[in-house]
Structure formats: C-alpha cells, structure tokens
Amino acid sequence: MTADLSAAERFAAAKVRNRSRNLELFRSDLRFDLDPFQFAACDALDQGRSVLVAAPTGAGKTIVAEFAIWLAMRQPTAKVFYTTPMKALSNQKYAELVEVYGESEVGLLTGDTNVNPRARVVVMTTEVLRNMIYADSDLLDDLAWVVLDEVHYLADRFRGAVWEEVILHLPTEVRLVSLSATVSNAEEFGDWLQTVRGDTDVIVSEDRPVPLEQHVLVGSKMVDLFDSSGAAATNRVNPELLRMVGGASRSERHGGGHRGGRGRGGYHDRRGPRTEKLHRERIAHMLDERMLLPAIFFVFSRAGCDQGVRNVLRSGLSLTTVPERNEIRETAEYHCRTLPDEDLAVLGYWEFLEGLERGVAAHHAGMLPAFKEVVENLFQRKLLKVVFATETLALGVNMPARTVVLEKLEKFNGEARVPITPGEYTQLTGRAGRRGIDVEGHSVIQWTDGLDPQAVASLASRRTYPLNSSFKPTYNMAVNLIDQFGRQRTREVLETSFAQFQADRSVVDLARKVRSQQESLEGYREAMQCHLGDFTEYAALRRELSDLERTNVPGGREASHGARQERQAAITAVRRQMQRHPCHACPDREAHARWAERWWKLKRVNDKLIQQIRSRTGAVATTFDRVTEVLLQLGYLVDAGNGEATVAAGGRRLQRIYGDRDLLVAECLEAGVWKDLTPAQLAAMAATIIYQPRRDDAPGTEHALPRGAFRPALDETLTIWSRLDDIERDARLAGSLPPTPAIAVGMFRWASGSALDDVLRTLDLPAGDFVRWSKQVIDLLDQIRNAGDDDLAQTARRATDAVRRGIVAYAAV
C-alpha cells in the first residue's frame, strides 16, 4: 500500500506519524479505539493547542482530558489542574485519577477538603482555582494544562462568572481543555476562546455514542414517539400515538403551526380522552419485565423523589438478588461508618437502607452527602435498579442508565411552573444508554392529559442549548484586578469577557438591522416628499393634533372649566397651524400622510434599536466603572489620578472575601460590629449572611434569636446593608435582598453543641440542606479568619471547629 504513494505523500504521512507519536502511544494503552472527535481533540493537544470539545453526555469527552494529563506526566515537572463545578464531581474524578496515577501524584482541593495540594495532578472546584489566581499562589508554578470540565456552567447565573474569570486571568502559557455539553453556539464560544487564549480548536460532535429510542407511556401501553416507518427521518409523530391520545393535535386540526398554547413544553388546551397514569411502582415493574432497568425517574421535586421510593417499598416490589442485597448493605455500612449511631435514626438511615436493599433510592440536594455517595456508588456498580432523581443529577456525577423516565415536561423554576427547554430535555435524556453495555438507550415520557404530541416531538428532536454568559464584575473581582493590572488595564481586560463578546456580536446584528431600516426610512421619506413644503413638519402637526384629541383631561368630566378650555385652545392652535401649512393644500396630502405614518412608526422602532446598541456597547466596562466608583466612595480604593486607582487597606481585606455579600462582610469587619460575638454567635451571623431562602421555605425562628451581643450586631449589620443598598442603587447597580436570620437559631444551637435531631427540628430543613449551608458557613468563617483582626480570627477559628462536627465533618474523597 505504501508503495502506491508518491514520495511527497510518504513524507507527509511520516510527518503525521512523528507528530502524533504521543497520541499513538496513548492509544496503544486503551482498551478501545478513539472516536473521530476524540482523535481530533487529542491530536490538537499533541500539537500544543487548546481545545473546546462539545459533545453529548456519555460520549467520552473525558478521554481528551486524560490525554492532557498523560502528556503532562511525560514531562519532568509539568502540572495539571482538573476543575469541576461540584465537589461531588471533584471527589469522583480524584478517586478515578488515584487509581491510575497513585495517591502521591494526585491532590484534591474543594474548599473543605485539602489533600496533597502540591501533587502533579490536582482536582479542584473552579472557585478554588479562581481564588488561587487572585492570590498569585505558588501552586500555579509549572502549571501546563487546566481542564475545565462542564464548562457550560459558565451560563449559570449564580456561579458562571467564575469560569470566565479563570479563562481570562490564567497565565497565557497555560493551555485549556474545555469540555462542554452539546451547545448550539459552540463555534461562537470557541471564537472567543481563540480571541482571549490564542490557538484553540473547536471540536463538536452531536453523535450519541448509544442511540436513543424515545417512547411515550399512555396508560399502561408504551409506544414509540416517532414513526418507525420510512418517514421516521423527518421526526414524524407515530400515527399510533396520535390515535391513542385522540387523533391529531388541535394545531393540526386547525391547519398547522403551533399558534397558542404552550407548545415548547408540549402542552396546549386540547381536550382529548382522559388517560389514567400508571403508578411509579408499576412502571418500575414494567421496565423490569422488559429488561429496561436500571432506570432514572426524573422527578422535579425532592418530595416527589422520596415519595417514589415509598411507593415502591409499599408495593412490595424487590429488584435485587440475595448476593446483591448483601453487597449493598456492606457498601452502605462502609460509607456511613463515621456517622454517629444516635444520628442514623434521625437521618432515616434504616428506611434508606431498606430501599437500597430492594434496589431503589432517591437522589437530590436535600439528602445527606454520605447517602448520595452510596446511591452513586451502587448505581455505577449496577446494584441499584431504580433511582428517583431531581434534574441536578443530569448535570452532575456520572450515572448513566439504560432508561430515563420523564414524569412531566414542566418544572417549577422558583417562580412559576414552566415547560422544560430542548436543552434541558437533551441533558435529562443524555443519561439514557451506557456506553459499552447498552446497544441503545431509552427515554420514556409519561403521557398526561393536555400534552400535544407534535410539540413533544419538536421538543425531543431539537438540540438547541445556547451558551450565554452570566459574567458581571464584583467588588472582590475589581479590587483584585486593579491591584494586579491597574484600573485602565482591568477595564480593557473585562471588555474581552465572553459577556461583552456576545453583546458586541449582538450589536453587529442590531447595527445591520438599523442600517437596513435606515434605507427603508429614506424610501418612506422620499415617498412623502411634497412639492409645496416640508411634509415631515406637517406630519408632526397632524400627530400632535391626534395625540391632543386622544388625551383625556385630568379629572375627566369633573375637570375644571379652565382645564377643558386650555385643552381646547391647544387643539384649535395646532389645527390652525395645520391649515396654514403649505402642505395642507396638497392634492396628494393623504397619500403623503400614509407614508409619513409608516416613517414615524419605523423611526420609533429604529430609535429603540439604537438605544439598545448604546446600552450594550461597553456594558461590562460600564458596570465595572460603577463598581469602582462605589469602592472609591467607601475608601476601598484611592484615586491615583489619570483615571487610575490603588488598593487601600480596606481593599486588601476585601481581596480575601468572596461571595455575593463580599462588600457587606468587608464593611462589617471594618466597623467591628462582630467583634463581641461568641464563636456560636459568629457562626449564626455567618449563616445570616450566606443564607438564601427558597420561596417555599417555612418562616424562620427570628423570635428565638441568640441573646446578648448577637441582636445588636444583627441590627448594625442590617443598617450597614441598608446604607450599601442605597449607595449601590444611586450608582445604578442592582441592589440586594436584606440578610435573613432564618437559619441563625439552628446554626447557633449546632455550634453550641445541640443534638442533630434538635437542630433539624428547629430549622425544618432536610439533612443535606443543613450540611450544605453549614459548609458555606465554614467557608465564610475561614474568610473572616483570614481577613479579620487577631481577636475575631480566633473567634472564627473556634466557630469553625464548633460547626465542623458530626455529619458536617463527614467528607469522602
């Protein structure tokens, strides 16, 4: 075969082999061959380029990250940071890498866990890396690669800015491996990465490694969503499904389109035959009979997940063998061995264990982390058969199933019930199909009255999941960047953010539209030209008269005689001006007037577009300017002249405080309002600062707030918040909600040594939520310890020790 090649072709082939020698060595150790997208991405890394890989869940994106680690480990001192959006993902990835490279070569940093931070490969949450960059940590020395796993979290409105900060401020010589779910604007994101990081290849794959079969469960009968005949390629709805649910949808019967209704999520106001829904335990039994387990039931509420487990247990259904049950019990006991015996009953451990042994469990944020780890471990080992989970599982740890069941196609977003988006549907069904195990994955939509088959098919066939920036400058970001780059340079850096990149691109589209409409305006203006005079002027008088005649006199019929006379005089004056205007006598006056009306309406639209352009151009830098002005006003920055600023002593403290309430914490430390608090009271104050109530939260127990120094300290904290809120609003920045002491009492009791049962009863919180808030309290206490004076630092240290006990102290790695 080689003999058939020309000398030039043989030389080119040899060049490719030499260039890809590393990749060939890496491939030789794999148990499987690389997919085309994996090969393309690894080849780019082998050439020293950064990559953005966008591919479906389960497609094998992480092999690209593993190749970057493999490359780094072949060099004498090169290091790799592997970042994830969640501690659970970090723990999972750490365990996987330890198996490959050993404990001595792998570290873990997640805020509350610090293992071997000077290792060659360190797994961490993205926030930890951001903080390292701002602190100019020596751990960044010799850093060659950074893996940004789940980089589409950049769109998260609460945490997304962290990803942009990391991308913008990492040393330029560090190469990025950005791994994303399939997004519809990957090329746009890749263009930005190319702009700010240099050589970056964008590799997109939309091929699922395991094909997805999509079904609808109508009553007790499961049918395909799409036509399985030759028309299937057009994503035509299965005619059998249409017959079962009452024939064609309303939109079809009335001549097409999805006008009206709630088509995006599959709902409309059709009234068809009522369909009895199959209970969860019966669905599980049906899937078991059809060999479609293990399955994940996505339920959009925590209570619904727990109820699903109870339904299965009450039905008597058991999905495991005796050897499996023994293995399950051993695993659960191992993971929960460090939990105090007296807490196990409070946490519902025995009911949890009964469900596990029967092959069923829940998975949601309200669960204790130890319990969630057990569920994840058992499901990955194929010992659990059914998991009822909230949608956070779709964005989280690696738990593929053979089947995914969607009970509803709408969810509560914190304010209202809304249809799920095509992107969310793709994420949820992305869990269906285990690579190397299943020939195909299955999704099952449970039919409910009011669904529109056509809209469901549209939802299931679209793959739109745009990645939009949520970046905005914060106070902490501003002082850190100004200290590093100066004010003017920081402004320039922020103008390179993805947020501004997207805004500028939208400005280009808006500007194109403005130019097009300007041409139309000129055409309208020509059409309304009058040989007798300026028709634009005459048209303005007609509009003024029309507005006066439409406008009601204040007070209506009860208005004073003088007000009515004044309005009538104005109408008469304008009418007289019109009659005197030269254009009034034009025989084509009404034709001109019609063109003038079109000109006026289009000009109003065009003016709005021009205003949008002005508001978007430099939007990020404008916000940064406002943040900077607040910091100058409060003395965290000092005006150095020529548009520059330097960081003052208070700003040094602010540099060490992260979070939504960074400025409030800094102001409270500056004013010394927490200096007299005991450790337990300081923990309660930290809980007041970090807590963000859910809409359905029960009212807090403010009447039982800690006595002594806590209440006056809380009053002063709220006074400072109110003053800051006024300053921010005056600076045209978004204000914030006042701190709430809703969980302060429970945190105070926990830090004072109360039993878990007493604390959870006081707070009316699930154990998982309590642990999550407690870890955020510890995080803030650590910041106070680093930023406060010596006495407060001592109190913060003791408060941290008091909170970090029992179930809060548990952290698996």
Side-chain angles (χ1 to χ4, degrees), residues 72-78 120:
M73 296 301 279
R74 288 176 64 82
Q75 300 173 33
T77 59
R120 295 278 303 282

Side-chain angles (χ1 to χ4, degrees), residues 164-197:
E164 284 192 55
E165 290 176 75
V166 166
I167 291 167
L168 285 171
H169 305 309
L170 267 175
T172 53
E173 67 273 12
V174 176
R175 284 154 293 174
L176 293 185
V177 180
S178 304
L179 307 179
S180 170
T182 306
V183 293
S184 53
N185 61 335
E187 287 77 11
E188 178 188 40
F189 185 51
D191 287 348
W192 174 68
L193 287 171
Q194 174 78 28
T195 302
V196 296
R197 300 295 311 176

Side-chain angles (χ1 to χ4, degrees), residues 709-727:
F710 182 84
R711 296 191 185 199
L714 176 61
D715 290 340
E716 286 188 67
T717 300
L718 292 173
T719 300
I720 290 172
W721 166 83
S722 180
R723 177 172 58 83
L724 289 178
D725 193 56
D726 290 341
I727 290 170

Side-chain angles (χ1 to χ4, degrees), residues 302 306 347 364-368 697 760 763-773 807:
R302 299 175 182 184
D306 295 333
L347 296 168
H364 56 73
M367 290 173 63
L368 195 67
D697 277 355
L760 294 182
L763 292 176
D764 192 24
L765 272 182
D769 283 344
F770 171 66
V771 170
R772 181 163 54 88
W773 290 121
I807 62 170

Side-chain angles (χ1 to χ4, degrees), residues 11-73:
F11 176 76
K15 192 174 177 182
V16 169
R17 279 197 304 274
N18 288 335
R19 189 192 73 199
S20 302
R21 187 172 293 140
N22 283 327
L23 182 51
E24 292 306 320
L25 281 171
F26 178 71
R27 288 173 73 182
S28 67
D29 290 336
L30 298 176
R31 299 187 311 276
F32 51 88
D33 199 12
L34 297 175
D35 289 341
F37 87 89
Q38 294 170 326
F39 182 87
C42 291
D43 187 47
L45 296 184
D46 205 13
Q47 296 176 58
R49 301 170 64 84
S50 295
V51 293
L52 166 64
V53 182
T57 300
K61 295 185 289 290
T62 53
I63 198 73
V64 182
E66 288 166 18
F67 181 57
I69 295 170
W70 186 89
L71 285 173
M73 296 301 279

Side-chain angles (χ1 to χ4, degrees), residues 171-356:
T172 53
E173 67 273 12
V174 176
R175 284 154 293 174
L176 293 185
V177 180
S178 304
L179 307 179
S180 170
T182 306
V183 293
S184 53
N185 61 335
E187 287 77 11
E188 178 188 40
F189 185 51
D191 287 348
W192 174 68
L193 287 171
Q194 174 78 28
T195 302
V196 296
R197 300 295 311 176
D199 294 339
T200 302
D201 286 6
V202 179
I203 290 99
V204 177
S205 173
E206 296 190 12
D207 295 330
R208 281 179 54 98
V210 181
L212 180 66
E213 296 291 324
Q214 306 193 69
H215 316 281
V216 179
L217 184 63
V218 184
S220 60
K221 185 166 184 182
M222 194 161 74
V223 296
D224 291 342
L225 171 59
F226 294 112
D227 189 352
S228 58
S229 69
T234 61
N235 289 327
R236 195 182 81 162
V237 177
N238 185 355
E240 183 185 359
L241 173 62
L242 290 174
R243 284 195 298 273
M244 290 177 67
V245 299
S249 70
R250 184 173 182 264
S251 58
E252 274 193 318
R253 291 198 300 267
H254 289 277
H258 292 133
R259 295 186 300 275
R262 293 156 64 189
R264 188 177 67 139
Y267 284 83
H268 72 131
D269 59 357
R270 186 180 62 79
R271 293 289 183 268
R274 290 189 62 79
T275 305
E276 290 298 320
K277 287 184 68 174
L278 210 59
H279 293 305
R280 291 161 174 163
E281 63 275 16
R282 289 187 59 196
I283 298 175
H285 182 61
M286 173 194 289
L287 295 177
D288 187 31
E289 287 182 330
R290 296 184 180 214
M291 306 291 288
L292 291 178
L293 295 181
I296 299 173
F297 285 62
F298 280 112
V299 184
F300 297 121
S301 79
R302 299 175 182 184
C305 293
D306 295 333
Q307 186 59 48
V309 175
R310 286 194 290 271
N311 290 346
V312 173
L313 293 184
R314 275 202 299 266
S315 74
L317 181 65
S318 182
L319 301 167
T320 53
T321 63
V322 172
E324 285 176 332
R325 286 197 285 276
N326 292 335
E327 197 172 344
I328 286 167
R329 178 178 284 273
E330 283 177 18
T331 301
E333 288 175 350
Y334 174 79
H335 276 266
C336 299
R337 68 193 183 283
T338 60
L339 297 175
D341 289 342
E342 63 271 19
D343 290 346
L344 290 177
V346 176
L347 296 168
Y349 173 75
W350 306 111
E351 296 87 346
F352 172 67
L353 184 59
E354 182 189 358
L356 295 177

Side-chain angles (χ1 to χ4, degrees), residues 73-203:
M73 296 301 279
R74 288 176 64 82
Q75 300 173 33
T77 59
K79 294 199 300 192
V80 180
F81 286 171
Y82 193 115
T83 75
T84 75
M86 290 179 289
K87 292 174 184 178
L89 273 174
S90 293
N91 291 340
Q92 187 179 54
K93 183 52 63 177
Y94 170 77
E96 291 172 6
L97 290 171
V98 164
E99 282 187 21
V100 178
Y101 295 103
E103 289 187 2
S104 63
E105 298 288 1
V106 186
L108 177 66
L109 295 172
T110 61
D112 52 21
T113 304
N114 187 328
V115 178
N116 199 12
R118 297 194 175 276
R120 295 278 303 282
V121 183
V122 185
V123 184
M124 62 187 67
T125 50
T126 317
E127 280 85 353
V128 169
L129 177 54
R130 186 271 313 272
N131 298 351
M132 263 191 215
I133 293 169
Y134 284 160
D136 197 21
S137 169
D138 64 350
L139 293 177
L140 296 169
D141 294 346
D142 297 320
L143 183 61
W145 299 94
V146 166
V147 177
L148 295 174
D149 202 357
E150 311 280 352
V151 75
H152 50 270
Y153 263 77
L154 181 143
D156 184 89
R157 65 191 178 109
F158 298 111
R159 299 172 56 212
V162 175
W163 276 259
E164 284 192 55
E165 290 176 75
V166 166
I167 291 167
L168 285 171
H169 305 309
L170 267 175
T172 53
E173 67 273 12
V174 176
R175 284 154 293 174
L176 293 185
V177 180
S178 304
L179 307 179
S180 170
T182 306
V183 293
S184 53
N185 61 335
E187 287 77 11
E188 178 188 40
F189 185 51
D191 287 348
W192 174 68
L193 287 171
Q194 174 78 28
T195 302
V196 296
R197 300 295 311 176
D199 294 339
T200 302
D201 286 6
V202 179
I203 290 99

